Amino acid sequence: MQDISNTQYFKVQKEPEIQVSEVIATVFTALMEKGYNPVNQIVGYIMSGDPTYITSYRGARSLIMKVERDEILEELLDNYINTRLTK
């Protein structure tokens, strides 16, 4: 029989926080390596939410699904605007 007089401790380790820019770079590289047009595939994913636009090669599909699509769009737009304004 179990001793229920003591409290058990359970500690869950958090995954390290994912940087959206790193996710985009990793997914982009995986798509390139597989011969896809990364821009078309990422746009397809953002517009539809269908993860099959992203290859599972190198874990790219599961990685991109760890961030919200609006975060991806925000990162891309922010980078685009900052690049344009700093020229």
Side-chain angles (χ1 to χ4, degrees), residues 31 36 41 44-45 48-56 61 64-65:
L31 289 164
Y36 296 107
Q41 297 306 112
Y45 171 69
S48 70
D50 184 354
T52 60
Y53 279 98
I54 307 300
T55 182
S56 59
R61 185 178 299 156
I64 203 166
M65 289 172 26

Side-chain angles (χ1 to χ4, degrees), residues 32-61:
M32 285 286 292
E33 288 177 359
K34 290 302 283 183
Y36 296 107
N37 180 322
V39 173
N40 289 349
Q41 297 306 112
I42 293 170
V43 167
Y45 171 69
I46 291 171
M47 296 296 291
S48 70
D50 184 354
T52 60
Y53 279 98
I54 307 300
T55 182
S56 59
Y57 178 70
R58 294 192 180 224
R61 185 178 299 156

Side-chain angles (χ1 to χ4, degrees), residues 6-87:
N6 293 322
T7 301
Q8 296 278 348
Y9 289 98
F10 184 78
K11 185 175 182 179
V12 177
Q13 291 185 358
K14 291 183 180 180
E15 288 187 23
E17 191 150 326
I18 300 170
Q19 295 295 319
V20 177
S21 59
E22 292 175 18
V23 169
I24 294 168
T26 301
V27 169
F28 186 92
T29 301
L31 289 164
M32 285 286 292
E33 288 177 359
K34 290 302 283 183
Y36 296 107
N37 180 322
V39 173
N40 289 349
Q41 297 306 112
I42 293 170
V43 167
Y45 171 69
I46 291 171
M47 296 296 291
S48 70
D50 184 354
T52 60
Y53 279 98
I54 307 300
T55 182
S56 59
Y57 178 70
R58 294 192 180 224
R61 185 178 299 156
S62 61
L63 184 61
I64 203 166
M65 289 172 26
K66 290 182 179 183
V67 295
E68 297 294 327
R69 289 181 295 148
D70 63 323
E71 292 176 309
I72 296 168
L73 188 56
E74 183 179 338
E75 180 72 22
L76 293 171
L77 189 56
D78 185 55
N79 189 277
Y80 177 82
I81 290 169
N82 286 332
T83 301
R84 291 291 190 175
L85 292 178
T86 58
K87 281 187 174 181

